[in-house]
């Protein structure tokens, strides 16, 4: 597999990994906890999801043919808590990720050097993907951290459980060396 094809497969797996990580964190909370904001300068998990929704729809709709900052996007409204159910919130979450995957799944390796625009600033497709691959995990990390703070009972670890690094490494080193994406095993653990 050439480097560009490998890159596209890798980013698809990484986006799926972070989507799943966010879902597993939110699933551990009750509905009300998704809307809690600890202070005026803190976004609730629901607000973070609304922001991701707005960003993803804007960036990935007509990804190759229109500016990534759509004129219909109202970014400031993404940062206001609104009344909605957990089901409505998760529908926004899924709509956003579906938009992303609908844009990147058909990409061909030779398209990675094409120029697209975000706020009139030219990016190669590869740079635009990398930009979002840095942005979304940043917010997923906020969701996971916030969920841990809000959880009233024991947290179900989404990675290597506390004080279990030795066991985890022993399991990894007991296997034959292999070449694969780190998400291959991690996604199976999150299922």
């Amino acid at each position: 597999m050439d480097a560009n094809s490998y890159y596209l497969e890798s980013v698809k797996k990484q986006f799926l990994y972070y989507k799943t990580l966010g879902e597993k964190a939110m699933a551990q909370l009750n509905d009300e906890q998704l809307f809690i904001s600890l202070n005026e300068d803190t976004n609730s998990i629901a607000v973070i999801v609304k922001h991701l929704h707005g960003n993803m729809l804007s960036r990935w709709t007509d990804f190759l043919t229109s500016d990534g900052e759509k004129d219909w996007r109202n970014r400031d409204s993404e940062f206001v808590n609104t009344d909605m159910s957990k089901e409505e919130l998760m529908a926004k979450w899924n709509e956003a990720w579906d938009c992303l995957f609908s844009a990147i799944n058909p990409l061909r390796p030779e398209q990675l050097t094409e120029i697209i625009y975000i706020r009139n600033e030219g990016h190669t497709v590869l740079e635009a993907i990398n930009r979002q691959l840095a942005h979304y995990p940043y917010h997923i990390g906020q969701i996971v951290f916030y969920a841990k703070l809000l959880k009233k009972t024991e947290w179900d670890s989404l990675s290597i459980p506390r004080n279990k690094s030795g066991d985890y490494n022993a399991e990894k080193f007991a296997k034959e060396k292999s070449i694969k994406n780190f998400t291959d095993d991690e996604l199976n653990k999150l299922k």
Side-chain angles (χ1 to χ4, degrees):
M1 183 183 295
D2 68 274
N4 288 341
S5 296
Y6 181 80
Y7 170 80
L8 285 172
E9 289 307 309
S10 177
V11 297
K12 290 173 194 176
K13 289 178 180 182
Q14 289 180 63
F15 279 128
L16 180 58
Y17 170 73
Y18 286 106
K19 175 185 184 287
T20 306
L21 202 64
E23 289 168 352
K24 293 296 182 182
M26 290 186 283
Q28 294 189 51
L29 301 176
N30 64 46
D31 294 10
E32 295 78 32
Q33 289 172 314
L34 295 171
F35 298 89
I36 293 173
S37 203
L38 295 180
N39 60 48
E40 289 179 16
D41 294 322
T42 308
N43 295 316
S44 68
I45 290 172
V47 164
I48 296 168
V49 169
K50 281 179 52 185
H51 169 58
L52 287 169
H53 176 261
N55 181 279
M56 287 184 191
L57 292 184
S58 187
R59 295 295 183 266
W60 300 104
T61 299
D62 302 324
F63 176 59
L64 297 174
T65 58
S66 69
D67 194 283
E69 188 64 19
K70 305 296 186 281
D71 58 5
W72 43 258
R73 182 181 183 199
N74 184 350
R75 186 180 181 280
D76 292 337
S77 71
E78 296 166 13
F79 294 96
V80 177
N81 249 336
T82 52
D83 289 332
M84 68 176 79
S85 67
K86 183 176 185 177
E87 291 76 23
E88 291 169 315
L89 185 68
M90 295 313 293
K92 285 186 174 297
W93 173 266
N94 287 316
E95 178 185 27
W97 286 100
D98 288 347
C99 184
L100 178 152
F101 287 115
S102 292
I104 65 170
N105 283 339
L107 286 176
R108 297 180 316 276
E110 61 271 15
Q111 292 177 297
L112 290 175
T113 55
E114 289 182 18
I115 301 297
I116 62 112
Y117 292 88
I118 301 171
R119 295 186 181 103
N120 271 349
E121 296 175 351
H123 297 65
T124 63
V125 167
L126 188 142
E127 290 170 326
I129 292 170
N130 285 346
R131 178 175 172 163
Q132 300 317 111
L133 196 53
H135 183 199
Y136 302 153
Y138 167 80
H139 288 303
I140 302 298
Q142 291 174 323
I143 289 171
V144 171
F145 183 73
Y146 217 172
K148 283 182 174 184
L149 289 176
L150 295 169
K151 179 83 167 153
K152 300 293 186 206
T153 58
E154 187 175 326
W155 177 256
D156 294 327
S157 179
L158 304 175
S159 61
I160 303 169
R162 186 183 300 257
N163 298 318
K164 297 293 183 184
S165 295
D167 296 342
Y168 181 82
N169 287 341
E171 179 184 326
K172 288 288 188 181
F173 285 114
K175 297 177 181 174
E176 292 291 322
K177 285 186 178 180
S178 63
I179 299 174
K180 60 183 174 180
N181 191 290
F182 82 97
T183 63
D184 294 341
D185 289 338
E186 297 305 313
L187 282 168
N188 286 333
K189 285 189 337 191
L190 289 174
K191 289 180 181 176

